[in-house]
Amino acid sequence: MDFIATLSFLVLLISSAKALDLCGSQPDNSDLSVIPIYGKCSPFNPPKPESWVSTIINMASKDPARVQYLSSLVAQKSTAVPIASGQQVLTIGNYVVKVKLGTPGQTMFMVLDTSNDVAWAPCSGCTGCSTTTFSPNASSSYGSLDCSLPQCTQVHGLSCPATGPASCSFNQSYGGDSSFSASLVQDSLTLANDVVPNFAFGCINTISGKSVPPQGLLGLGRGPLSLLSQSGALYSSVFSYCLPSFKSYYFSGSLKLGPVGQPENIQTTPLLKNPHRPSLYYVNLTGVSVGELRVPIAPEYLAFNPNTGAGTIIDSGTVVTRFVQPLYAAIRNEFVKQVKGPFTTIGVFETCFEASAEVEAPLITLHFEGLSMKLPMENNFLHTSAGSRACLAIAPVPNNVNAAMNVIANLQQQNHRILFDVANSRLGIAREACN
């Protein structure tokens, strides 16, 4: 009898696990879940065993190329889904969204990028692409777009003949060291239970470099070809996410698309817009505190200037928060005053100290217009695998890029609900345990 009862329990447990679908959306289907790149549900290979801080250093080593890429964008004048943090195969530490393209849907894990507009995916026959590609021939809803259509003029890097019919082709760079060529096409995009028909995206046919996401990218910027613009009233230009720690094993964060289910009492700060690059989500950073002390800093290192690109952006693709050199130096100097040394440098982290002193170490608070974001200990410090050293998890903007732009990165956003209410030009931040 005990054997039968145990067997019945196991059958029930397996059935429940299948019904719950730990790698799918949450039971109420209101949100889609989020996994890290090394989690059980990730399609990407885990890295070789190494210390946690070494893993982050490896991820953050791609940040300078990312920040340079964002800087180049600034200079130009022209329902929820599963997310996984992408590092090993993606080379840039991003998060990945599980979507379906076409009819019937073909599953793709696309990078979620708040600083890009156009979506793109590698298509069958692509040169330099990964083994997972989208097959247009297998989709009954697929359609090509030609140069005469208005969507074509909204793509950067457009390549169309002066006269005569032709497919809409374009070339773009990504990540600072890579590029691709694609044709603008349209097909159904499925996000959880929602379907966005005739969704325009780039069908990649050639890739050069290692930074282009292997299964594509879903742009959540504010441009005319972004998901927000193409979905129209479906999501009303509102979304939020809660990014889990890179160490999370199962889906546990979430991306909420649309106004339904968003936090009602969240503190917000105005979203600012750069007319030269409206995709980037600028906010007004008014100051930084180390412990209880507000760091003295000249206003010009914080001020938003759409002509130069100066100011502060929220970005999902950069790993470690970067501050302009004078602001970073002021934060680090004040931190060193309050924490017992000696201090060493590990990779991009210049302020590493004995972990035993962490209990006394001050926390960093980011002050925005209308709200303050006090970073919990896990968003402030990283530890070596032996646990003997802790590092302040911020870094300066690289010298070879636009030295005027601060970037609030995903390591500091983890375990926070970040609300992008584009319709009302506001950004909300609230602490939330994504893990």
Side-chain angles (χ1 to χ4, degrees):
M1 189 68 178
D2 290 341
F3 172 76
I4 295 175
T6 302
L7 184 60
S8 299
F9 173 75
L10 289 174
V11 170
L12 178 63
L13 188 63
I14 293 171
S15 300
S16 299
K18 287 182 178 179
L20 182 58
D21 184 13
L22 295 175
C23 297
S25 59
Q26 296 180 4
D28 62 0
N29 291 315
S30 61
D31 299 346
L32 291 182
S33 304
V34 179
I35 61 169
I37 188 62
Y38 310 129
K40 172 183 177 295
C41 304
S42 169
F44 303 112
N45 297 324
K48 295 178 180 179
E50 58 183 350
S51 71
W52 174 235
V53 79
S54 296
T55 300
I56 295 296
I57 288 172
N58 180 42
M59 298 169 74
S61 68
K62 302 298 180 181
D63 275 358
R66 172 74 180 183
V67 176
Q68 185 176 38
Y69 166 70
L70 295 174
S71 177
S72 72
L73 296 183
V74 170
Q76 291 180 11
K77 296 185 178 180
S78 45
T79 302
V81 285
I83 301 176
S85 56
Q87 185 267 330
Q88 173 88 0
V89 180
L90 305 179
T91 56
I92 291 182
N94 290 317
Y95 284 81
V96 181
V97 182
K98 184 180 179 183
V99 308
K100 290 184 179 180
L101 280 175
T103 308
Q106 301 173 42
T107 298
M108 306 291 288
F109 283 80
M110 304 174 92
V111 161
L112 172 68
D113 195 335
T114 56
S115 296
N116 269 277
D117 294 332
V118 183
W120 17 273
C123 288
S124 52
C126 173
T127 301
C129 293
S130 66
T131 55
T132 301
T133 58
F134 170 68
S135 176
N137 292 336
S139 173
S140 62
S141 50
Y142 172 84
S144 60
L145 297 172
D146 63 48
C147 288
S148 64
L149 296 174
Q151 296 99 313
C152 193
T153 62
Q154 297 165 346
V155 180
H156 293 295
L158 179 64
S159 176
C160 276
T163 59
S167 62
C168 182
S169 299
F170 63 98
N171 301 283
Q172 284 193 3
S173 61
Y174 187 78
D177 60 357
S178 300
S179 62
F180 66 87
S181 62
S183 298
L184 192 67
V185 301
Q186 64 182 16
D187 210 331
S188 294
L189 172 68
T190 301
L191 304 166
N193 295 325
D194 296 333
V195 177
V196 182
N198 302 318
F199 182 76
F201 65 96
C203 192
I204 297 178
N205 48 59
T206 304
I207 284 178
S208 175
K210 297 181 179 180
S211 294
V212 176
Q215 294 191 29
L217 175 143
L218 187 66
L220 279 177
R222 292 181 277 189
L225 288 181
S226 72
L227 173 63
L228 294 188
S229 296
Q230 293 198 59
S231 59
L234 180 61
Y235 300 133
S236 302
S237 295
V238 177
F239 71 95
S240 72
Y241 56 62
C242 190
L243 303 178
S245 164
F246 294 122
K247 297 191 223 181
S248 297
Y249 188 65
Y250 289 103
F251 275 16
S252 52
S254 67
L255 171 67
K256 295 177 183 285
L257 294 166
V260 176
Q262 301 293 357
E264 296 180 0
N265 298 318
I266 192 170
Q267 288 188 308
T268 63
T269 187
L271 274 176
L272 309 177
K273 200 167 187 177
N274 180 341
H276 296 312
R277 187 58 184 182
S279 289
L280 301 181
Y281 289 106
Y282 279 88
V283 289
N284 186 14
L285 181 69
T286 59
V288 178
S289 291
V290 178
E292 300 300 319
L293 183 66
R294 189 128 170 175
V295 174
I297 187 71
E300 59 262 30
Y301 298 119
L302 300 171
F304 171 62
N305 186 331
N307 294 320
T308 64
T312 301
I313 68 168
I314 301 284
D315 180 49
S316 65
T318 309
V319 178
V320 176
T321 290
R322 303 273 177 158
F323 293 111
V324 296
Q325 292 281 350
L327 177 55
Y328 169 78
I331 295 170
R332 184 183 185 277
N333 291 341
E334 181 55 39
F335 186 86
V336 167
K337 289 179 185 178
Q338 298 186 35
V339 179
K340 182 180 179 181
F343 296 93
T344 57
T345 297
I346 301 178
V348 299
F349 305 113
E350 300 177 346
T351 316
C352 300
F353 53 95
E354 290 294 330
S356 58
E358 185 184 48
V359 178
E360 306 294 332
L363 300 180
I364 304 297
T365 301
L366 306 177
H367 302 287
F368 302 98
E369 179 184 344
L371 71 86
S372 292
M373 181 184 186
K374 186 173 184 179
L375 298 175
M377 190 170 290
E378 67 193 70
N379 301 83
N380 271 279
F381 308 115
L382 293 171
H383 299 87
T384 58
S385 57
S388 60
R389 306 290 289 174
C391 301
L392 181 62
I394 61 172
V397 170
N399 290 321
N400 63 337
V401 301
N402 181 353
M405 187 171 65
N406 303 299
V407 182
I408 309 302
N410 59 44
L411 187 62
Q412 278 63 48
Q413 296 177 48
Q414 289 173 2
N415 289 309
H416 288 82
R417 173 65 55 183
I418 311 294
L419 169 68
F420 296 79
D421 185 353
V422 179
N424 294 299
S425 298
R426 63 184 191 135
L427 180 130
I429 302 176
R431 180 77 172 136
E432 183 175 318
C434 307
N435 299 325

